[in-house]
């Protein structure tokens, strides 16, 4: 059977199916005629053989047709024939509708086979009523869910491949350096103890670089899981930000930068996983140090708006190009075209930050204009203790 793949509201029967309906009607009519003749003949024999039954039928005729309907009926055979014809019409319609439903089901099954052959962008186009309509809707919904699941699986698989590729790239460079310098030491190819120390120091530095990547990767995969549990406690956001300023004070002095805190109200009491939120602030401040080299100020701001805490970490260094704003939270993405470790880090910091914010039921975005680059976080002030 050829499938009509154009969207339609009804099922178009083929010539063969139309012939089947005509044949069904003819056979049904013939059978009903034979059945009617048999019923009339048997009825006549029964009535003629019983005077009491004859009197009852004639009494029924007189009451129903002559008095109630005010119609003269001179033949009981005509009355019987009238009722038989009505019944025959219903029987004929019932059989034709049943056969038509079977044909509809056949078309639906054919459409299912077409989809099952790999045509997952196709949907059963028929708009039917009753149970078959529900079946078509359910099948189309099931196909949609299946296709979405397959696309999500492909996206995850592609994401895994990209992750492996990026990790391999970031690990290969320091690993090559480590192997190279340790090889020189192993072969005794150094001229002095100072050169030996330089080789070991470089290998050690590259090893630490690899450890940071592995640690960030572990943290990234952990916070990306939706069932990751948060240790929700009540804390003072203002006090937490003040402590962060103290922690980064020396680093800021080295870079000739200042870190200021603006918080309203104080104290700012809210709920969250402080360990993970500290990781968020650390990532954003370190990011400001690295990419805001031309600036001299980092500001941590927090204000209460309704049931949310709106937190901003901004710096007045070099702004981010507009085309990069939607990409900064992608893993391994760096604003600079080069992947140098001078500023690049592991490329996972902002991805980890976004995942932690999402785990807290919030969201984060970045804007860069007017000489300021601002990371804006929206977090619910209160969180269920079970992270549900």
């Amino acid at each position: 059977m050829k499938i009509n793949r154009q969207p339609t509201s009804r099922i178009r029967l083929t010539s063969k199916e139309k012939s089947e309906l005509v044949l069904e009607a003819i056979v049904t009519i013939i059978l009903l005629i034979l059945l009617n003749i048999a019923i009339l003949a048997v009825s006549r024999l029964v009535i003629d053989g019983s005077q009491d039954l004859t009197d009852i039928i004639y009494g029924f005729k007189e009451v129903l047709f002559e008095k109630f309907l005010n119609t003269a009926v001179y033949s009981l055979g005509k009355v019987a024939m009238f009722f038989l014809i009505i019944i025959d019409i219903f029987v004929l319609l019932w059989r034709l509708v049943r056969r038509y439903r079977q044909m509809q089901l056949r078309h639906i099954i054919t459409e299912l086979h077409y989809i099952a052959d790999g045509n997952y962008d196709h949907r059963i186009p028929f708009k039917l009523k009753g149970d078959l309509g529900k079946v078509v809707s359910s099948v189309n919904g099931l196909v949609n869910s299946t296709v979405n699941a397959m696309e999500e699986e492909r996206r995850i698989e592609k994401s895994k491949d990209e992750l492996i590729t990026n990790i391999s790239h970031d690990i290969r460079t320091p690993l090559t350096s480590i192997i190279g310098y340790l090889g020189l030491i192993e072969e005794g190819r150094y001229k002095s103890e100072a050169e030996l120390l330089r080789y070991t120091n470089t290998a050690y530095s590259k090893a630490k670089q690899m450890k940071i990547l592995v640690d960030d990767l572990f943290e990234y995969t952990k916070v990306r899981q939706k069932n990751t549990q948060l240790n929700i406690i009540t804390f003072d956001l203002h006090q937490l930000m003040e402590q962060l300023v103290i922690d980064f004070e020396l680093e800021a002095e080295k870079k000739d930068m200042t870190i200021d805190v603006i918080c309203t109200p104080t104290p700012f009491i809210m709920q969250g996983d402080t360990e993970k939120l500290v990781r968020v602030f650390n990532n954003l401040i370190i990011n400001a140090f690295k990419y805001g080299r031309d600036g001299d100020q980092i500001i941590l701001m927090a204000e209460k708006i309704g049931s949310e805490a709106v937190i901003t970490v901004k710096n007045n260094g070099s702004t981010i190009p507009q085309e990069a704003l939607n990409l900064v939270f992608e893993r391994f993405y760096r604003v600079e075209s080069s992947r140098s470790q001078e500023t690049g880090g592991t490329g996972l910091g902002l991805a980890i930050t976004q995942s932690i914010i999402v785990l807290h039921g919030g969201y984060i975005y970045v804007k860069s204009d007017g000489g300021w680059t601002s990371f804006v976080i929206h977090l619910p002030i209160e969180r269920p203790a079970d992270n549900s």
Side-chain angles (χ1 to χ4, degrees), residues 219 222 230-233 235 240 244 272-282 356 360:
E219 181 71 15
K222 185 171 65 173
L230 297 178
N231 182 25
I232 302 297
I233 63 172
F235 67 97
L240 184 144
L244 285 166
D273 187 328
T274 53
E275 181 180 350
K276 287 184 169 54
L277 290 178
V278 165
R279 178 65 186 267
V280 167
F281 284 111
N282 285 344
I356 292 175
H360 279 79

Side-chain angles (χ1 to χ4, degrees), residues 252-303:
E253 289 180 359
K254 290 179 181 178
K255 297 182 179 295
D256 295 324
M257 301 179 75
T258 61
I259 305 178
D260 299 311
V261 173
I262 302 174
C263 187
T264 305
T266 54
F268 195 129
I269 305 301
M270 64 176 294
Q271 294 180 337
D273 187 328
T274 53
E275 181 180 350
K276 287 184 169 54
L277 290 178
V278 165
R279 178 65 186 267
V280 167
F281 284 111
N282 285 344
N283 288 345
L284 294 179
I285 294 174
I286 291 172
N287 186 78
F289 281 143
K290 289 179 179 178
Y291 295 99
R293 295 183 301 275
D294 299 334
D296 59 2
Q297 191 175 16
I298 299 174
I299 299 178
L300 307 183
M301 300 176 57
E303 59 180 329

Side-chain angles (χ1 to χ4, degrees), residues 125-165:
F126 310 132
K127 296 181 180 179
L128 306 175
K129 297 181 180 179
D131 293 337
L132 284 180
K134 295 178 181 178
V135 169
V136 169
S137 298
S138 299
V139 169
N140 285 338
L142 179 61
V143 174
N144 287 333
S145 299
T146 303
V147 170
N148 290 337
M150 292 172 61
E151 291 177 351
E152 179 66 15
E153 185 67 25
R154 282 195 292 266
R155 187 192 66 79
I156 293 173
E157 192 64 29
K158 181 181 178 181
S159 180
K160 289 180 180 178
D161 292 341
E162 292 175 351
L163 181 62
I164 292 172
T165 300

